[in-house]
Amino acid sequence: MVWTPLHDRLHQTLRSRSLVGRSQRLLLAVSGGQDSLALWRLCLDLQPQWGWDLGIVHCDHRWRSDSAANAHQVQTLAQGWGTPCMVVVASTALPSEAAARQWRYQVFGHQAQTQGYGAVLTGHTASDRAETLLHNLMRGSGADGLGSLPWRRDLEPGLPLVRPLLNWTRQETGAFCRDFQLPVWEDSTNGDRRYGRNRLRLDVLPLLQQHFNPQVERHLSQTAELIHADVVYLEAQAQALRLQVQQDTALHRPPLQAAPLALQRRVMRQFLQAQLPQAPTFAHIEKAVALITAPHRSQTDPFPGGAIACVDQDWIRLHHPNGPTFRTVL
């Protein structure tokens, strides 16, 4: 094999970040596009040194008329490269990008667990991370959304999802595929501006690169990296505080009153996520946080599902709406 600086970069990244182990069974998510093909070829080239047992999984969303041909090309390449290949076809056409993403990750987890793979690898790059940061920023996301796409997270308990190309840009994976003459499948939907991410990729980021910073993708990815580290720390601190103050469906107020606002919000979000039938919004969290210093018998209006948070002396309690009537101040 040819050992290039790009091979060495991935090799050093895997070692320094302890993303995967030697002699591990790895399942690669391969769409057939340039990022996943670059990851697949790189892992095959590094396989003798690491001793991996590689397999690939391809998801056919049935969005495009050529999706079956796309899957067939991936299968043909897998035969030529000697890699076990699993193709999973959606039972029905998926209605949105979000639904397709959720289905893909379910497929990855199921296939990895049933086939005995120890980790799932995807070809996400610094470009994807930059797009995700901008997309979530415009949706009003907090730090958790801005720091998304980490190098490694649990897909299922004991099954990590690993993104080893986060220090590559899409331009670099494209150049790698051209240099090694890899048969990239051009997804026709990538040029469809009806999808928000495509507009970011095709219009917004090129404008930012041209008029503000040629390295904007890499720098936004680095920003996401910094934010993610902060989020991990704050979440751990908030969880420790929540375990200290929570008793069943109630929170002890005095320790919360002494905590910084950042921890108050995170404790409330963790608490409400566990108690409500759906994820709390920013407005829900702010109303609950206000109860930390509110007068006795203050309460919120109903949360999703009908529960109401109210102040009972030094406690914040969740009550069913048919419970005692309190003075609404929030």
Side-chain angles (χ1 to χ4, degrees):
M1 59 156 283
V2 177
W3 186 269
T4 69
L6 297 177
H7 288 82
D8 188 64
R9 185 198 301 182
L10 178 59
H11 176 69
Q12 296 301 330
T13 297
L14 295 174
R15 289 183 57 192
S16 63
R17 294 184 176 275
S18 301
L19 295 178
V20 297
R22 295 185 181 275
S23 303
Q24 193 171 4
R25 300 196 74 219
L26 304 179
L27 182 63
L28 311 184
V30 175
S31 67
Q34 66 181 45
D35 298 338
S36 61
L37 275 193
L39 175 64
W40 185 7
R41 184 68 258 172
L42 285 161
C43 286
L44 282 173
D45 292 344
L46 269 61
Q47 186 177 23
Q49 188 162 354
W50 285 80
W52 294 320
D53 181 4
L54 300 176
I56 67 167
V57 57
H58 174 83
C59 292
D60 181 352
H61 300 87
R62 297 176 58 193
W63 273 355
R64 313 183 318 267
S65 59
D66 62 351
S67 66
N70 182 181
H72 178 71
Q73 176 168 306
V74 171
Q75 288 176 305
T76 301
L77 189 59
Q79 291 175 354
W81 285 357
T83 310
C85 176
M86 293 163 278
V87 173
V88 181
V89 182
S91 57
T92 59
L94 297 158
S96 67
E97 289 180 279
R101 183 166 54 253
Q102 181 179 16
W103 174 71
R104 280 198 306 274
Y105 285 128
Q106 289 174 345
V107 169
F108 299 160
H110 176 73
Q111 293 296 326
Q113 290 181 322
T114 57
Q115 301 297 325
Y117 289 95
V120 176
L121 276 61
T122 67
H124 290 102
T125 64
S127 304
D128 295 303
R129 217 178 192 186
E131 291 168 12
T132 300
L133 187 150
L134 289 176
H135 184 257
N136 289 342
L137 178 65
M138 290 184 291
R139 294 172 57 206
S141 173
D144 296 54
L146 301 183
S148 58
L149 288 188
W151 289 89
R152 180 183 169 112
R153 71 169 178 85
D154 282 343
L155 185 59
E156 302 284 352
L159 177 68
L161 176 75
V162 180
R163 301 180 174 103
L165 299 186
L166 286 182
N167 55 357
W168 292 52
T169 63
R170 189 171 291 114
Q171 289 74 24
E172 287 176 312
T173 60
F176 180 88
C177 290
R178 289 191 295 274
D179 290 344
F180 286 84
Q181 298 182 332
L182 303 184
V184 174
W185 186 273
E186 298 295 340
D187 186 340
S188 58
T189 63
N190 285 341
D192 190 340
R193 283 177 167 82
R194 289 178 297 175
Y195 300 108
R197 283 188 174 272
N198 288 348
R199 292 194 297 273
L200 283 173
R201 180 182 305 121
L202 298 173
D203 300 325
V204 176
L205 280 167
L207 185 147
L208 294 176
Q209 289 170 329
Q210 180 179 357
H211 296 288
F212 295 93
N213 183 351
Q215 297 296 318
V216 66
E217 288 183 343
R218 196 176 297 279
H219 290 166
L220 287 175
S221 179
Q222 291 170 356
T223 298
E225 176 87 358
L226 294 171
I227 293 173
H228 177 70
D230 292 344
V231 166
V232 170
Y233 173 76
L234 288 171
E235 276 294 285
Q237 294 297 307
Q239 183 178 23
L241 178 57
R242 179 176 58 80
L243 293 175
Q244 174 189 340
V245 303
Q246 183 176 350
Q247 290 188 11
D248 297 325
T249 59
L251 297 173
H252 196 217
R253 295 202 299 165
L256 288 173
Q257 291 167 352
L261 178 59
L263 290 185
Q264 292 177 349
R265 283 173 170 155
R266 287 184 176 275
V267 167
M268 281 300 179
R269 180 179 53 76
Q270 292 178 6
F271 175 70
L272 293 175
Q273 278 182 331
Q275 302 294 332
L276 303 181
Q278 65 189 64
T281 65
F282 176 74
H284 296 147
I285 295 168
E286 290 298 281
K287 290 176 182 180
V289 166
L291 293 182
I292 294 173
T293 56
H296 174 55
R297 298 179 66 82
S298 300
Q299 72 175 41
T300 65
D301 53 7
F303 293 109
I308 294 174
C310 59
V311 177
D312 179 11
Q313 301 296 346
D314 282 344
W315 293 87
I316 298 171
R317 303 185 188 277
L318 277 184
H319 286 275
H320 190 273
N322 295 328
T325 301
F326 292 89
R327 175 173 55 90
T328 302
V329 296
L330 302 172

